[in-house]
Amino acid sequence: MNNEHPVGFWSYTHRDDELDDGRIRRLAQSIGDEFEIITGEELKVFVDKKSIEWGDGWRIRIDTALTSSTFLIPIITPRYFKSQQCRREIITFAGHAASLGLDELLLPIHYVNVPELTDNKDEDEVIALIRKRQWVDWRDLRLEDEKSPEYRKAINQLAARLSKILEESASVEAPLPVPRQRG
């Protein structure tokens, strides 16, 4: 996990961002900016709307970004769980993080109420992955003005949390590959 700069993968549905007037992508930018202010280090956040160039093989580009990312921030909404691409992103990253013993690098933001996360009835694989994590609750904060003190404090708390998690995970080495048996 030794990148020159920490890299995050922002997992969201484009339609949710459109319906929320671009606030989801602005949230990614705000967290990255706040991280840089409080740490002095750049935080690169892969946001597919701006990080995939025209003509790039989107699936290959996303898979590469997922496996080279330091952490994944899924923006949890009802539509998120209906998106096959979002589901694939979270399953891919969760498997990669688990292989490194770094489950805390999956950092969900509960953006719009998803009752299945709290009712414990649904056996959906992706909902179960999210349910096991400590998510950040933005269901009310997303309705605040982006310049409000509450919103700005929440951005600061997210950036500080990322900094702490990255600091703690920096000492974790990737496991050595298991030698293949010949024969």
Side-chain angles (χ1 to χ4, degrees):
M1 308 292 318
N2 294 330
N3 294 335
E4 186 175 313
H5 296 286
V7 177
F9 189 97
W10 198 253
S11 180
Y12 68 104
T13 73
H14 294 167
R15 183 65 180 148
D16 285 335
D17 187 52
E18 291 166 6
L19 292 170
D20 210 16
D21 197 30
R23 286 178 63 120
I24 293 173
R25 284 185 292 128
R26 286 196 305 275
L27 178 59
Q29 182 66 49
S30 295
I31 292 169
D33 291 348
E34 185 68 15
F35 182 91
E36 189 169 348
I37 286 171
I38 65 175
T39 66
E41 297 289 326
E42 182 180 358
L43 176 68
K44 295 180 184 275
V45 180
F46 179 92
V47 179
D48 70 355
K49 195 130 190 166
K50 70 177 186 181
S51 300
I52 298 178
E53 298 297 324
W54 187 62
D56 281 355
W58 67 271
R59 183 161 298 212
I60 292 169
R61 179 77 170 98
I62 287 174
D63 286 347
T64 300
L66 273 170
T67 56
S68 63
S69 291
T70 308
F71 59 89
L72 176 100
I73 299 179
I75 306 304
I76 304 303
T77 66
R79 182 173 277 110
Y80 187 88
F81 294 109
K82 294 176 184 176
S83 165
Q84 289 306 309
Q85 182 59 36
C86 289
R87 294 174 65 79
R88 197 174 76 69
E89 290 168 2
I90 204 163
I91 290 167
T92 300
F93 186 86
H96 179 67
S99 74
L100 298 174
L102 297 170
D103 289 332
E104 70 275 9
L105 298 180
L106 177 58
L107 307 162
I109 295 177
H110 196 173
Y111 196 74
V112 174
N113 192 43
V114 178
E116 295 86 353
L117 280 177
T118 55
D119 69 13
N120 292 324
K121 293 177 187 173
D122 200 322
E123 293 302 319
D124 180 270
E125 175 184 15
V126 176
I127 288 175
L129 273 171
I130 297 297
R131 190 181 294 135
K132 287 189 242 176
R133 302 311 189 280
Q134 182 177 358
W135 68 72
V136 178
D137 191 346
W138 273 67
R139 291 174 290 179
D140 290 330
L141 279 167
R142 77 173 191 87
L143 303 173
E144 293 290 329
D145 184 282
E146 293 170 90
K147 303 288 184 197
S148 74
E150 295 84 9
Y151 194 89
R152 295 193 63 213
K153 284 177 189 172
I155 295 286
N156 175 267
Q157 290 169 349
L158 282 174
R161 181 176 173 203
L162 280 177
S163 176
K164 183 177 182 211
I165 289 169
L166 292 173
E167 200 173 284
E168 291 170 356
S169 68
S171 63
V172 175
E173 294 294 323
L176 294 173
V178 177
R180 285 207 224 166
Q181 299 293 325
R182 294 184 184 212

